Amino acid sequence: MISANGITLRLGKKALFEDVNIKFTEGNCYGIIGANGAGKSTFLKILSGKLEPTNGSIVITPGQRLSVLEQDHFKYDDQVVLDAVMMGNARLFEIMKEKDAIYAKEDFTEEDGIRASELEGEFAMMNGWEAESDAASLLNGLGIDTDLHYKMMGDLEGNDKVKVLLARALFGNPDILLMDEPTNHLDLAAINWLEEFLINFENTVIVVSHDRYFLNKVCTHIADIDYAKIQLYSGNYDFWYESSQLMVKQMKEANRKKEEKIKELQEFIQRFSANASKSKQATSRKRALEKIQLDDIRPSSRKYPYIDFRPDRTIGNEVLTVEGITKTIDGVKVLDNVSFVLNHNDKVAFVGSNELAKTTLFKILMGEMEPDSGTYKWGVTTSQAYFPLDYTDEFDNDLVIYDWLQQYSPVKDITYVRGFLGRMLFAGEDGAKQVKVLSGGEKVRCLLSKMMISGANVLLFDEPTNHLDMESITALNNGMIKFPGVILFTSRDHQIVQTTANRIIELLPGGYIDKITTYDEYLASDEMAMKRQVYSVNQSEEDN
């Protein structure tokens, strides 16, 4: 168990937390939610001991081991992958190293033998003999192939490093597990594996995440940070949302009834206060009036942007034809003879573990990269708006937000542009910020404004939820569902894929799968699982 007792954290004059008391118990998974800037990650740092609060204390049950998902992707670059995972249980790893050092001695003394015996006993108690196989199992489950287990961390790709750090946090069955955005940079298959792992995990989990599907799947409780307080709810994210909305509705209804009663009492008092025969009744009603207190209903600090993609032109029947597109990058074939035809009502989710393949396809379709072979053709009635995976160059200038968006607007009136920015929470002087100093989430909202103002009838999104808070993700999800045109997109957000896509294209090594279906139906399909296995076997044979 871990508990926060009277936690207060002040940053200058602002109180990020004020006298927070909350207890996290064994066997439960707690999702920490709140608006950007509410202090979700900061609270995890306080729980982990990495940040000292202004007042209050964190209490952990004596003897329990706490594990934290590391955020520094380069911290273990000089370690072998398997070792980096096993280092997640620091004491076990220390024992392993000390044992190895003793057994490597040429002059093995009696004292060494006694010490080795003590270490072996502790090692066995900690299931040390299973350590390597347990670490390998975690890595394999997250999609890190066995041939990478003995490479150096510094040799891995960025997304693979993320998976290793996650395996490190999970290793050794920690009593308390703290994770900040564990699904970031994970492919959907790895996220599914992590969900099942946490569902079966018997100890305490505290997790910050913007992935609603993930929170719904794994959480038993939601801890909502708002106005420097933390309110605990039983149930998953959807249950929290319904409960919090119902609570506000009930408080408003109670206030309405109180206001009616106040008005009734005031009218009686005003009418009969000067009437001697009614004076006692008037006095009684004055006392009753004084006792009525309206509930203080503070609006949530959460702010939802309004995302509405409206095409200027109805799309025709001919949308996009792709024939035999093949592309090799740095000696690796990332696209192999990909062909498909889009229909005018398609919303296609491109899935698969190879992010480069999906990004490369989108760049080719937007004319930013040439295929090695194959062709594509957009229909004459189509117009495209594109959200790229890497948008650094878009903001490498000295423009302020108003001027940045106006250059993409078909209507050059500043009031028209301000309207789009206002929907995306850039109100008043916010629009005068230089785009190069914006946060990640602000840049994403700028790009979504650009897509809205374009009036395009085909939208391409390459991981648009990166850097977005829960409220913006929800707004984007709703905007994608409502959009009457064609969408091609990639996303690690399961709920966006499930609720938006009516067609799934999975890019695989050596091929692809194209299926008219929802994402959940696709994942549950035995036929699809068999096809993926066939492609995997074929690729292994080619590699050998």
Side-chain angles (χ1 to χ4, degrees):
M1 183 191 77
I2 181 172
S3 61
N5 301 327
I7 294 295
T8 295
L9 179 68
R10 295 188 179 279
L11 304 175
K13 295 182 179 180
K14 178 184 177 183
L16 194 59
F17 299 108
E18 190 76 58
D19 194 27
V20 168
N21 295 279
I22 189 169
K23 184 183 294 184
F24 304 98
T25 57
E26 186 176 348
N28 292 313
C29 179
Y30 299 85
I32 308 291
I33 63 171
N36 271 4
K40 301 183 292 295
S41 297
T42 301
F43 187 65
L44 282 193
K45 289 178 181 178
I46 293 174
L47 290 176
S48 70
K50 293 182 178 180
L51 181 64
E52 283 291 326
T54 308
N55 291 306
S57 60
I58 301 298
V59 178
I60 298 176
T61 301
Q64 291 200 337
R65 184 171 70 87
L66 182 145
S67 181
V68 181
L69 174 60
E70 296 279 359
Q71 300 295 317
D72 184 352
H73 299 169
F74 306 100
K75 186 174 182 178
Y76 302 99
D77 277 359
D78 59 346
Q79 298 291 335
V80 173
V81 168
L82 207 58
D83 285 349
V85 174
M86 292 188 290
M87 287 170 68
N89 188 336
R91 178 55 189 157
L92 178 61
F93 195 71
E94 287 172 7
I95 293 171
M96 294 171 66
K97 291 302 179 185
E98 188 175 351
K99 279 200 322 160
D100 290 345
I102 290 174
Y103 292 139
K105 287 184 175 182
E106 293 183 3
D107 52 342
F108 190 84
T109 66
E110 183 178 350
E111 288 78 8
D112 289 332
I114 294 171
R115 180 56 179 163
S117 177
E118 293 172 349
L119 292 172
E120 290 291 3
E122 190 175 356
F123 188 68
M125 288 286 291
M126 299 178 74
N127 293 321
W129 297 110
E130 312 295 329
E132 284 203 20
S133 62
D134 288 347
S137 178
L138 290 170
L139 290 169
N140 289 333
L142 288 165
I144 301 296
D145 293 335
T146 304
D147 60 354
L148 296 178
H149 293 187
Y150 294 94
K151 287 186 176 293
M152 302 300 291
M153 282 284 286
D155 294 331
L156 298 188
E157 297 292 334
N159 288 352
D160 285 340
K161 285 185 181 181
V162 172
K163 293 179 180 181
V164 175
L165 293 179
L166 181 55
R168 180 186 183 280
L170 302 177
F171 177 73
N173 195 36
D175 300 291
I176 302 164
L177 178 59
L178 306 182
M179 298 189 294
D180 192 354
E181 298 293 353
T183 61
N184 276 4
H185 307 293
L186 292 186
D187 54 77
L188 289 166
I191 293 173
N192 292 337
W193 181 90
L194 178 60
E195 288 167 354
E196 293 303 317
F197 181 95
L198 294 179
I199 288 169
N200 295 308
F201 189 71
E202 296 180 350
N203 298 330
T204 305
V205 180
I206 305 171
V207 58
V208 170
S209 178
H210 289 137
D211 189 326
R212 299 157 297 164
Y213 183 91
F214 178 78
L215 292 175
N216 278 330
K217 195 83 179 284
V218 306
C219 288
T220 60
H221 296 75
I222 294 295
D224 178 30
I225 302 177
D226 209 356
Y227 292 110
K229 298 292 185 181
I230 301 182
Q231 180 71 40
L232 190 63
Y233 295 81
S234 294
N236 61 15
Y237 177 80
D238 281 350
F239 187 81
W240 161 80
Y241 183 79
E242 293 168 5
S243 299
S244 59
Q245 295 296 107
L246 179 61
M247 185 184 299
V248 172
K249 183 178 180 181
Q250 290 173 336
M251 290 174 69
K252 287 181 177 179
E253 179 62 19
N255 274 357
R256 185 187 66 78
K257 291 180 179 180
K258 289 178 183 178
E259 287 169 348
E260 289 177 355
K261 185 64 175 177
I262 289 170
K263 183 179 180 181
E264 177 187 323
L265 293 171
Q266 288 174 335
E267 288 177 350
F268 185 93
I269 293 166
Q270 184 177 7
R271 184 177 178 183
F272 295 108
S273 60
N275 188 321
S277 63
K278 298 280 188 178
S279 61
K280 286 187 177 180
Q281 295 180 40
T283 300
S284 174
R285 281 166 171 74
K286 283 181 180 178
R287 293 196 189 100
L289 180 61
E290 291 170 355
K291 292 179 181 179
I292 298 177
Q293 297 291 328
L294 294 177
D295 292 324
D296 181 19
I297 305 175
R298 298 183 72 181
S300 172
S301 60
R302 292 176 172 82
K303 295 181 180 180
Y304 289 82
Y306 180 68
I307 298 178
D308 186 21
F309 304 105
R310 296 185 182 181
D312 292 335
R313 180 180 184 181
T314 301
I315 202 165
N317 290 327
E318 293 184 6
V319 181
L320 173 65
T321 301
V322 174
E323 295 184 352
I325 284 186
T326 298
K327 183 68 176 181
T328 297
I329 297 178
D330 296 331
V332 178
K333 187 177 287 185
V334 295
L335 296 173
D336 189 4
N337 197 33
V338 175
S339 300
F340 58 87
V341 176
L342 287 190
N343 301 309
H344 70 278
N345 59 351
D346 277 343
K347 292 183 177 179
V348 186
F350 289 82
V351 302
S353 60
N354 190 341
E355 286 193 2
L356 181 59
K358 294 174 282 187
T359 296
T360 299
L361 178 61
F362 280 24
K363 285 185 174 181
I364 290 172
L365 296 179
M366 291 306 297
E368 295 183 0
M369 184 181 288
E370 290 293 326
D372 296 335
S373 60
T375 61
Y376 68 93
K377 182 181 180 182
W378 289 102
V380 293
T381 63
T382 65
S383 56
Q384 300 83 35
Y386 176 41
F387 186 105
L389 182 65
D390 182 3
Y391 42 79
T392 306
D393 291 345
E394 281 272 12
F395 301 98
D396 187 18
N397 55 70
D398 294 323
L399 295 175
V400 299
I401 298 176
Y402 291 136
D403 295 336
W404 179 88
L405 184 59
Q406 191 172 40
Q407 66 182 330
Y408 300 112
S409 174
V411 179
K412 298 305 178 183
D413 179 58
I414 190 62
T415 303
Y416 179 79
V417 174
R418 283 179 183 268
F420 281 89
L421 290 175
R423 297 177 198 172
M424 298 305 292
L425 309 181
F426 293 110
E429 294 304 312
D430 288 342
K433 289 183 181 178
Q434 284 189 314
V435 293
K436 65 182 178 183
V437 302
L438 297 180
S439 68
E442 288 173 327
K443 288 178 179 177
V444 171
R445 285 189 274 124
C446 280
L447 288 172
L448 294 174
S449 300
K450 174 186 173 183
M451 295 181 76
M452 285 194 293
I453 211 167
S454 72
N457 54 24
V458 179
L459 306 179
L460 293 88
F461 297 98
D462 195 354
E463 298 295 347
T465 63
N466 290 351
H467 306 293
L468 286 184
D469 58 20
M470 190 87 75
E471 293 70 40
S472 297
I473 291 172
T474 300
L476 173 60
N477 195 173
N478 293 335
M480 293 172 72
I481 292 171
K482 291 189 302 181
F483 181 61
V486 170
I487 300 179
L488 298 82
F489 71 101
T490 73
S491 178
R492 298 184 188 90
D493 189 298
H494 187 118
Q495 190 160 333
I496 283 184
V497 179
Q498 169 60 18
T499 57
T500 302
N502 56 19
R503 180 175 176 182
I504 305 295
I505 295 180
E506 180 170 7
L507 300 176
L508 295 159
Y512 63 96
I513 299 169
D514 186 353
K515 189 76 172 177
I516 303 294
T517 183
T518 66
Y519 184 59
D520 283 347
E521 290 171 342
Y522 179 77
L523 290 177
S525 169
D526 291 337
E527 178 190 1
M528 295 303 104
M530 289 176 62
K531 285 185 177 181
R532 286 197 292 273
Q533 183 63 32
V534 168
Y535 280 124
S536 178
V537 170
N538 289 343
Q539 185 63 25
S540 296
E541 291 175 351
E542 288 179 16
D543 293 341
N544 293 331

